[in-house]
Amino acid sequence: MIRWIIIAVLAIGVTGTAFWGYQEHQEKNAVLIQAENTYQRSFHELSYHVDLLHDKIGSALAMNSGQSLSPQMVDIWRLTSEALSNVGQLPLGLLPFNKTEEFLSNIGDFTYKTAVRNLDDEPLSEEETNSFEELYQQSGDIKDELRQVQHVVLDNNLRWMDVQLALANGEEQVDNTIVDGFQTVEKTVEGYSESNVDSPIVGTSSQDHAYKGINGEKISEEQAREKGKEILDVKDAEKLHVTKSGDGADIPTYSISYKDNKKSAYMDLTEQGGHPITVLVKRQIKDKQISLNEGMEKAKEYLAKYQFKDMELFLSSQYDNIGVYSFLYNQDGVRVYSDALEIKVALDTGDILGLTARDYLMNHTEREIPEPTLSEEEAKEAVNQKVEIQESFLAVIDNDLGEEVLTYEFLGIMGNETYRIFINAMDGREEKVEKLDGAEANYAANS
């Protein structure tokens, strides 16, 4: 009798295990299908947008009127932004593709700066036109290369998930048509970036100023694992999956992931200095136990622990028992918007659920900030008189041309709306006006 009971229990156990395994398999397949669809859509949209980009540049070269050329330049800038967004959604994190991104970014920078100037009074110079013609030829070559990859993908029904898995597993020799195709595109663009180095179209190189805020010695994979254990609050470091970025990536990083039946977590860590770039923790959030202000103090402690110094709370808000806090770097009383980061804090336990510090690490440096030419009272005269000013600060922001400028920042109310207004501290120009919504301005950060 006991033997039959044991057999029955074992049978139930085997059946349960098989059912659980089947469910896990189904869930995994659903995730893979969703990821594959996203990759396929992003790739075909990238090919389409580069096609349009090539055509738009060709049309712009045929235009003779500044009135027609300005909106065309805006359209080209929009297409480069969409193409860059498409690239960002492809599984290319471990496959160098930064030269192509830089190429698209430089086209976007030039067309935007051209669009905002008066082209009737200041038309394209001969040198700019020649460079633009070169970009037309180069974008045509990139279009053809992408079309070739697209043809092979469709003709052979290739899967992007095979690329993702091959790269994630660190396979040295990846015999994959998609990878080979993108490496060909990257090699083609690398030659262009060398020939375009003195072109007036190429603005501030993203490579030249990338990650100014990173310092310290290189860390090993084992050190990265230990740091991941600490930051992600995991007991067993061996349960972390650690992957190092491939050669040629814009910055060497360790990608660290973890999952159990209570939470899943992911982070990117710089190889130099072990700085956290991105941290994401997903778990069930219970009832709120600490206030939004107490969560802010937790965020400040976290920043101090990981060497993010002189950070000032900028915005705070709450969503589903999660506190979201945006911080700016403060240099001698001047808020620097380029050096910004965001932290998410669980308001049930006070632990960190997220960090986004890419902008800070890319831009942070000690700046030579000039003395303002205008006084605060003189700058206020440039603000709409209907705005009731509540607070003011000195701030460094990026203007529409991507240049850092010193401004007076005014927070004010008009009617039922709150506005943030930036007035150039050197010439009184109105640089930016933002209407605040969906976030709480930090009027009482220290109360």
Side-chain angles (χ1 to χ4, degrees), residues 335 337 391-393 395 407-411 420-422:
R335 292 148 63 117
Y337 273 75
E391 283 190 289
S392 61
F393 310 90
T407 67
Y408 284 101
E409 172 189 352
F410 297 107
L411 285 172
R420 178 173 287 111
I421 301 165
F422 297 94

Side-chain angles (χ1 to χ4, degrees), residues 321-392:
N321 294 332
I322 297 174
V324 181
Y325 307 91
S326 297
F327 287 83
L328 301 176
Y329 174 62
N330 188 313
Q331 181 178 325
D332 300 325
V334 180
R335 292 148 63 117
V336 182
Y337 273 75
S338 299
D339 301 7
L341 54 79
E342 184 177 273
I343 295 186
K344 295 181 181 180
V345 177
L347 299 181
D348 56 352
T349 61
D351 59 324
I352 302 301
L353 295 179
L355 169 71
T356 303
R358 186 173 297 275
D359 286 345
Y360 175 91
L361 293 172
M362 181 173 286
N363 299 305
H364 179 62
T365 185
E366 289 295 311
R367 295 163 172 81
E368 292 186 8
I369 300 176
E371 288 293 323
T373 302
L374 303 179
S375 68
E376 182 178 322
E377 289 303 315
E378 288 172 324
K380 280 182 180 178
E381 294 177 6
V383 178
N384 189 318
Q385 297 303 305
K386 294 181 181 179
V387 176
E388 182 183 344
I389 296 174
Q390 303 291 313
E391 283 190 289
S392 61

